[in-house]
Amino acid sequence: MADREGLLFVHSTNEPLLYPGVGTMHLEVIEDLPDVDVVINPIGGGSGASSAVVVYKSINPSIKVVGVQAEGAPSVYLSLKEGRLVSTGYARTIAEGLATARAYELPFSILRGRIDDVILVSDDEMLRAIKELALNAGQVAEPAGAAALAAAMKLRSQLMGKKVVVMVTGGNIDPELFMKALENY
């Protein structure tokens, strides 16, 4: 439709015009917490994590940026480990915001050599994090939004004594899934 009607097509991930806007959330973090040690950010397509590494590493290269992907959708994780773009051909996760079956060129080129680590979390770990956020922070999160806390819980011993930012990036959760998390995790 963009070609047919002469409109600008903005890709959801592979579009450089997105990144300055996405990066503003990270600028707000660094303005409020300039002495942050670690930032944990979910990775779906990669625009949020890419913006994170550009902002934090430009301001203070010692800030660690850790990405999080779902175990059932590890395309960026595998791409960074293998040093090439990987398409898994599947995305098996309840985390819709992380359900990407392939890595994209632009975020891969930004993340490669800049992101400090990428952690994989299971659907069950995200559901436990949803419950933790609800009960202890009064925050409603969808699975992708809770992924960063799931990773922090997994990395708890490595994060002790550090100032850590956990990016909770979405709260659009199906009520039945939310109740499942509260009741069963």
Side-chain angles (χ1 to χ4, degrees), residues 37-185:
D37 296 312
V38 180
V39 177
I40 304 174
N41 197 95
I43 301 176
S47 61
S50 296
S51 296
V53 298
V54 168
V55 169
Y56 298 112
K57 299 297 185 179
S58 296
I59 293 170
N60 181 351
S62 70
I63 297 172
K64 302 290 185 218
V65 179
V66 176
V68 186
Q69 282 212 291
E71 286 178 353
S75 59
V76 174
Y77 171 85
L78 294 172
S79 295
L80 292 168
K81 295 291 181 203
E82 295 181 22
R84 63 179 181 84
L85 290 173
V86 172
S87 176
T88 60
Y90 64 86
R92 298 181 196 105
T93 180
I94 61 170
E96 295 171 3
L98 304 182
T100 53
R102 61 171 275 214
Y104 292 95
E105 297 82 5
L106 180 59
F108 176 73
S109 69
I110 295 169
L111 292 170
R112 189 175 186 185
R114 289 188 180 104
I115 197 160
D116 294 287
D117 200 1
V118 178
I119 303 298
L120 297 178
V121 295
S122 69
D123 286 353
D124 284 346
E125 289 169 323
M126 286 183 272
L127 288 167
R128 275 192 289 284
I130 288 169
K131 183 175 183 175
E132 287 293 321
L133 284 165
L135 297 181
N136 296 309
Q139 177 74 47
V140 174
E142 63 192 64
L149 179 60
M153 291 164 60
K154 200 171 200 173
L155 298 172
R156 182 182 315 253
S157 64
Q158 297 170 35
L159 299 174
M160 295 296 269
K162 296 181 179 168
K163 288 190 179 180
V164 180
V165 171
V166 172
M167 299 300 293
V168 180
T169 57
N172 186 22
I173 186 170
D174 175 78
E176 287 182 30
L177 184 59
F178 186 64
M179 291 307 298
K180 176 183 175 184
L182 294 178
E183 293 170 1
N184 300 319
Y185 292 89

